[in-house]
Amino acid sequence: MSEAKQAGSDVPSRADQATDADGAAGDRDVAAEARDDAAKARNLEARGTDAQEAALNRALAVRDRAAAANARGEAAARNRAAADRSAAQERDDTADKSADHHWLDAQDRIADADDRHAAAARADAATDRDHAAQARESRSAVSRATQDHTTRDDAAHDRMASATDRLRAAGDRAASEQDLANAYRDEMTGTLLRDAGRDQLRQTAARVRRSGESLVLAFIDVDGLKQVNDRDGHAAGDVVLAAVGRELLANVRTYDVVVRWGGDEFVCGLAGCTLADAEMRFTALAAALEQITTISVGLTLLEADEDLNQAIGRADRCMYDGRRQRRQ
């Protein structure tokens, strides 16, 4: 076969082409109809879905209204129940208050009755006590009247015994004080012994320093006592010393300190006294003793912060100086 014939046999005929074209158009129409049917189906389905949703919404709305109505009913029921409970509670409270009032009123009446009974009992008890007290007083009056005479006698006896005891006690105290005083005093002259006298002088010195007073210290020596002892015996010398001690105590104040310092030596402390006053006192002392013996006296003032023994030593030296001047 020639190439032309072969080529002619491969080209479709126009009839076939037309047929194919008609078939394609038909297919397109079928496809279009299918699409239309699908669109209609979809529209129908959409309308069906909308209807279903609308029905569902209506059903839900009905359910919600029913639920709301039910809730309103329940709320109304609860409110009515609460109101009923409140009314019942109010009635109960009123009943309780009324009952309490009646109970308290009854208790008050009972308490008033108890108070009246107690008052009556107290009055009776008071009357009984008064009667008992009157009886006791009567018995006591009789007993006192019976005992008065004995009591007065006993009291008088007790007073007498007490007075006697007081007198004895006073005598004992005086004797004790005297014994104590004598224990510190020279038996012959009546003046203080040296140790006790030194203590008294120290106390006096401390006191005048606190008060700012003066203190005159006097050193007294009995002239010629050794010669009296040698010539007339020690008994004669003791008489001289006793006279000097007696006159010393008589010519100074009661609170001045007079000490037997040695065998024939005396020391005196005169607080608040001047040298001039002291010279007058010891001049009077020498005059009182001139029929018995003579004395030598040295006077000095205690200086501030001076040791007592130093001041007594100065008075001793003044005494010797005065004796030497007298003999010259």
Side-chain angles (χ1 to χ4, degrees):
M1 182 177 295
S2 63
E3 292 179 2
K5 288 182 178 182
Q6 184 68 32
S9 62
D10 292 330
V11 176
S13 63
R14 282 191 291 271
D16 291 334
Q17 290 180 353
T19 300
D20 291 336
D22 290 338
D27 292 336
R28 285 194 297 276
D29 291 337
V30 170
E33 289 177 359
R35 284 194 298 274
D36 289 339
D37 292 338
K40 290 177 181 180
R42 285 195 298 274
N43 289 333
L44 290 175
E45 183 178 0
R47 284 196 296 272
T49 301
D50 291 338
Q52 289 176 354
E53 288 180 356
L56 179 59
N57 289 332
R58 284 193 297 274
L60 291 174
V62 170
R63 186 194 62 186
D64 292 340
R65 285 194 297 274
N70 187 37
R72 286 194 297 273
E74 290 177 354
R78 285 194 299 273
N79 290 334
R80 285 193 300 273
D84 292 341
R85 285 194 301 273
S86 297
Q89 185 65 43
E90 186 175 357
R91 288 192 300 272
D92 292 341
D93 291 343
T94 301
D96 290 342
K97 289 179 180 178
S98 177
D100 290 342
H101 176 73
H102 291 310
W103 183 81
L104 291 173
D105 185 57
Q107 291 296 317
D108 290 339
R109 288 195 297 272
I110 292 171
D112 290 340
D114 290 341
D115 290 341
R116 288 193 297 272
H117 293 160
R122 286 194 297 271
D124 292 339
T127 301
D128 293 340
R129 285 195 299 273
D130 291 341
H131 291 163
Q134 291 172 1
R136 286 194 301 272
E137 183 62 27
S138 298
R139 289 192 298 272
S140 297
V142 173
S143 178
R144 286 194 299 271
T146 303
Q147 294 177 358
D148 277 346
H149 182 70
T150 303
T151 301
R152 285 193 297 270
D153 290 344
D154 292 342
H157 178 74
D158 291 341
R159 286 194 297 273
M160 185 177 297
S162 297
T164 303
D165 291 340
R166 286 194 295 274
L167 289 174
R168 288 175 179 170
D172 292 341
R173 285 195 299 272
S176 298
E177 291 173 359
Q178 188 61 45
D179 290 341
L180 182 62
N182 292 336
Y184 295 104
R185 289 189 179 278
D186 176 51
E187 184 177 359
M188 182 185 304
T189 63
T191 60
L192 292 171
L193 295 172
R194 180 165 179 155
D195 290 340
R198 185 187 288 111
D199 291 340
Q200 288 291 320
L201 288 171
R202 286 172 178 166
Q203 292 177 11
T204 302
R207 179 174 57 80
V208 298
R209 280 171 175 152
R210 289 193 301 269
S211 64
E213 294 179 294
S214 61
L215 176 62
V216 174
L217 293 169
F219 197 97
I220 303 101
D221 184 72
V222 180
D223 297 333
L225 184 63
K226 185 177 184 303
Q227 288 78 4
V228 172
N229 287 332
D230 292 342
R231 184 184 67 242
D232 301 325
H234 285 280
D238 291 345
V239 170
V240 172
L241 286 173
V244 172
R246 183 173 61 252
E247 292 299 329
L248 264 175
L249 293 173
N251 282 274
V252 297
R253 299 162 299 185
T254 57
Y255 53 85
D256 290 331
V257 183
V258 183
V259 187
R260 186 177 180 184
W261 203 252
D264 56 355
E265 297 169 340
F266 297 86
V267 172
C268 293
L270 294 83
C273 186
T274 64
L275 284 173
D277 292 337
E279 288 176 358
M280 291 178 59
R281 288 181 182 277
F282 287 103
T283 299
L285 172 65
L289 290 172
E290 64 184 357
Q291 299 299 323
I292 301 173
T293 187
T294 60
I295 58 174
S296 298
V297 181
L299 300 175
T300 187
L301 278 172
L302 178 68
E303 297 179 358
D305 298 329
E306 184 181 19
D307 182 74
L308 180 65
N309 289 328
Q310 292 177 349
I312 293 174
R314 285 197 297 109
D316 186 13
R317 290 191 294 274
C318 289
M319 182 272 297
Y320 278 109
D321 291 343
R323 177 181 288 172
R324 281 195 299 271
Q325 291 175 4
R326 248 189 358 262
R327 290 176 178 175
Q328 288 177 355

